[in-house]
Amino acid sequence: MEYLHDYQTFIKETIGTYSRTRIYNILTTVAYFHQYTFVEEFLKLVPPQTLESLTPDGNTTLHAAAFLGDIKFVKALVEKNSRLTQIRSTDAMKCVPLTLAAINATDGQKEVVDYLCSVTRDDDPSPFSGEDGFKLLLCLMLFNMHGVALSVCQRFPGLVVELMDRYEKDYIPRLMQFIVDRPFAFLSGSKMKWWERYIYSLIEVDTAGEKHEVEGIRLGDEENHLETSIRENCWTSNKRIITKCISSYCMRYISQVPLIRRLYDQKLMDKNIVALTKYFFTQLKGMDKNRVKTIFLDYKLLPNAIKFGTTEFVLECLGTFPFLCLELDDKGTMMKLVVSERNEVIYHFMRILKNKSFTGRTYSLYEDNNSILHFSAELPHSRRLNVVSGAGFQMQRELQWFKMVENTMLQNDRFVRNKDGDTAQFLFTEKHKELMKGGEDWMRDLSTSCMVVAALIATIAFAAAITVPGGNLQDNDSSYNGLPVLWL
């Protein structure tokens, strides 16, 4: 640092003779070792246009900084020369630094991607249009940066419109497939315990962008309408008082707890991906019905969302396009798929939509004269059956599901026979024979184990009860030999 300060004039004169590769190597090497003060001072001596030079591998210094994910280095370069954000590499990727950072994104690079999104301009050739815009959104969604992806879509609304018009390349279905494939990003697929869900419900997040600082956490009692459609939130005045006290006096300490940080990140991801989903559906509203059917049924977005358990995606989709509820796919009806996947939330939502339609009876008969209750009598896939362990508990869940579907049907519909003459109750008994036998064996083994443990406990307890504390005297020469010590 002293050398840079004492020989500024000499360094400025010799920089002009340096090769572009040499300057690139100096900056990237120093940045790699996190010598930010040296980088700042050295950049003051480098002419801005020198940073625009491409190295033999086709990149600028900003490309290297974006690849490293060094936010301080990136900001220093952009402040020195704002044109660096628009320069494309000459390698096979031919991308701007923003796209390169998104392609190589990690958890530490999200801040870099967010910053480059805000400073990269929509200049021709724009990285926010056409194939480049699609690649950028794809990478952002791939690495769970849904908040940044939403801000890009809102900042450049023409991008989504352009991708929708170029339907021959399946841009929109490919983007939404990333949402469908991530049930863990939503509240319904987060697999949280009841007490974690309670804390989750108290956390408020700022969804204006990707905020990674937990200091922004606030506690409150407001939940969005999608969460309330999944689970019931009953807030009392006492809870509000406790929440206010925690927010006022304890938040600075609570924000340091790893659990709170994790739940905050989970809720931020949930809010952002739900908002991005709504944005896509809003853009599709004006599209022709046949095109909407093609996107959600032919590309299997809706069936896959039901299969994977991406509940919020299905609810938003059917709420925006209710006519899809009555459409058929290659596996039968949507209702059949929901019943086979044992998704109670989607089942009740679709039942409400079908009741509001003007299609006659809600529970019509399908192939082979089967009703919805016949479908629920079938044994589900092992991934649904093994949600709980133990054949006894599995049989209990199957009975609960069958009774729930049965209670939602009209009395006459419960006894409909299929083409083989079987009622749903008979079919349920036949399909669950092996599971019933496994449940009986499981209960028998459990009761045997409990009896053995109970016998051991009783034996030890009896021996402890009749044994005098202190033991007996062990002295053959004494007349008191064998008597309890406490008696002596």
Side-chain angles (χ1 to χ4, degrees):
M1 289 302 302
E2 293 180 0
Y3 179 82
L4 289 177
H5 183 268
D6 296 338
Y7 297 94
Q8 290 187 14
T9 305
F10 173 75
I11 294 174
K12 285 182 180 181
E13 292 175 353
T14 56
I15 279 178
T17 63
Y18 284 0
S19 66
R20 58 194 179 187
T21 304
R22 226 174 138 188
I23 296 177
Y24 174 90
N25 290 337
I26 291 174
L27 288 172
T28 54
T29 302
V30 174
Y32 181 80
F33 291 101
H34 307 292
Q35 301 295 325
Y36 304 117
T37 306
F38 183 90
V39 170
E40 293 175 354
E41 294 298 324
F42 186 76
L43 284 177
K44 293 178 181 179
L45 307 177
V46 178
Q49 61 273 15
T50 304
L51 299 175
E52 299 178 13
S53 302
L54 297 173
T55 59
D57 60 357
N59 293 316
T60 65
T61 310
L62 185 58
H63 283 89
F67 179 81
L68 292 173
D70 194 322
I71 185 62
K72 293 183 179 179
F73 192 18
V74 169
K75 287 184 176 180
L77 290 171
V78 173
E79 290 172 359
K80 181 68 177 181
N81 188 347
S82 61
R83 292 193 298 271
L84 293 175
T85 59
Q86 309 304 126
I87 299 177
R88 293 174 178 269
S89 61
T90 57
D91 56 7
M93 300 179 65
K94 294 182 173 56
C95 60
V96 296
L98 168 60
T99 307
L100 182 64
I103 291 174
N104 299 279
T106 60
D107 290 339
Q109 286 179 309
K110 290 183 178 180
E111 189 178 2
V112 172
V113 175
D114 199 2
Y115 172 74
L116 288 176
C117 273
S118 64
V119 297
T120 303
R121 300 181 299 278
D122 189 22
D123 296 342
D124 188 44
S126 173
F128 301 106
S129 63
E131 195 78 30
D132 292 329
F134 169 73
K135 185 188 300 184
L136 176 61
L137 288 180
L138 203 64
C139 294
L140 292 176
M141 296 173 67
L142 176 64
F143 292 101
N144 297 323
M145 291 184 282
H146 306 102
V148 182
L150 178 61
S151 65
V152 170
C153 292
Q154 293 174 338
R155 182 182 171 192
F156 307 101
L159 172 59
V160 177
V161 175
E162 181 184 3
L163 296 179
M164 288 168 48
D165 292 339
R166 301 176 67 176
Y167 57 85
E168 70 280 356
K169 292 194 176 182
D170 311 329
Y171 285 136
I172 295 299
R174 288 164 64 185
L175 288 176
M176 287 197 291
Q177 187 63 49
F178 277 92
I179 299 177
V180 172
D181 292 341
R182 283 163 169 73
F184 60 84
F186 294 91
L187 173 62
S188 61
S190 57
K191 308 298 182 185
M192 289 186 290
K193 301 178 179 63
W194 67 268
W195 54 270
E196 291 179 324
R197 285 180 173 266
Y198 180 79
I199 298 175
Y200 178 97
S201 67
L202 297 176
I203 296 175
E204 289 184 354
V205 297
D206 180 11
T207 55
E210 291 277 2
K211 303 295 183 183
H212 300 284
E213 296 296 330
V214 187
E215 285 75 5
I217 298 179
R218 292 174 293 117
L219 299 180
D221 60 351
E222 296 180 1
E223 292 294 318
N224 63 28
H225 74 281
L226 185 56
E227 293 174 13
T228 56
S229 67
I230 299 174
R231 58 187 174 81
E232 183 181 0
N233 293 307
C234 300
W235 297 100
T236 63
S237 59
N238 290 336
K239 288 181 181 179
R240 285 193 290 269
I241 294 173
I242 294 173
T243 296
K244 185 176 180 180
C245 292
I246 293 175
S247 178
S248 302
Y249 303 107
C250 305
M251 197 60 247
R252 67 176 63 182
Y253 307 107
I254 293 177
S255 62
Q256 305 304 317
V257 179
L259 172 64
I260 302 297
R261 290 175 177 268
R262 178 173 61 83
L263 293 178
Y264 175 83
D265 291 337
Q266 174 66 42
K267 190 161 189 175
L268 178 64
M269 181 168 57
D270 173 39
K271 295 275 189 178
N272 284 331
I273 197 171
V274 168
L276 185 61
T277 302
K278 291 180 179 180
Y279 180 85
F280 279 134
F281 290 160
T282 302
Q283 299 300 313
L284 294 174
K285 265 187 178 181
M287 190 175 285
D288 180 73
K289 283 189 176 182
N290 291 328
R291 177 59 182 156
V292 173
K293 293 177 184 178
T294 300
I295 291 176
F296 289 103
L297 299 183
D298 292 355
Y299 288 100
K300 301 188 182 302
L301 290 179
L302 193 55
N304 285 342
I306 297 173
K307 180 180 178 180
F308 300 156
T310 317
T311 304
E312 287 87 342
F313 181 91
V314 178
L315 297 181
E316 289 293 339
C317 179
L318 296 181
T320 308
F321 310 106
F323 60 88
L324 292 175
C325 185
L326 306 176
E327 293 298 323
L328 300 177
D329 63 351
D330 57 355
K331 294 182 180 179
T333 64
M334 286 293 139
M335 187 66 80
K336 175 183 176 181
L337 183 59
V338 171
V339 170
S340 65
E341 292 298 329
R342 304 297 195 257
N343 196 313
E344 183 178 356
V345 175
I346 300 177
Y347 173 80
H348 286 298
F349 189 79
M350 293 183 67
R351 185 170 62 88
I352 293 172
L353 290 179
K354 291 172 73 69
N355 286 335
K356 289 182 178 180
S357 65
F358 299 93
T359 57
R361 291 170 62 88
T362 301
Y363 296 99
S364 56
L365 300 179
Y366 303 102
E367 70 268 21
D368 298 334
N369 212 40
N370 286 307
S371 67
I372 293 296
L373 197 57
H374 284 90
F375 296 147
S376 65
E378 296 284 345
L379 203 63
H381 193 276
S382 58
R383 68 173 179 275
R384 300 301 309 167
L385 200 59
N386 294 330
V387 171
V388 294
S389 59
F393 290 127
Q394 292 173 355
M395 189 64 196
Q396 180 191 41
R397 287 175 67 92
E398 285 296 288
L399 282 169
Q400 290 173 341
W401 175 263
F402 185 80
K403 289 298 182 182
M404 186 275 293
V405 175
E406 185 180 52
N407 291 335
T408 61
M409 301 182 67
L410 298 176
Q411 186 71 23
N412 292 336
D413 293 329
R414 301 177 185 180
F415 306 101
V416 173
R417 296 181 181 271
N418 60 14
K419 74 169 188 177
D420 297 325
D422 298 333
T423 62
Q425 182 64 56
F426 176 81
L427 189 62
F428 179 88
T429 304
E430 289 295 315
K431 294 293 184 180
H432 289 75
K433 276 185 177 180
E434 292 297 325
L435 186 61
M436 176 67 76
K437 184 177 182 301
E440 293 174 353
D441 294 339
W442 180 78
M443 289 295 295
R444 189 179 300 110
D445 294 339
L446 182 63
S447 61
T448 302
S449 301
C450 291
M451 289 177 63
V452 171
V453 173
L456 289 174
I457 294 174
T459 302
I460 295 173
F462 178 77
I466 65 174
T467 301
V468 179
N472 300 325
L473 182 65
Q474 303 293 329
D475 187 359
N476 295 329
D477 298 331
S478 175
S479 59
Y480 298 107
N481 182 40
L483 294 178
V485 175
L486 291 179
W487 290 8
L488 302 177

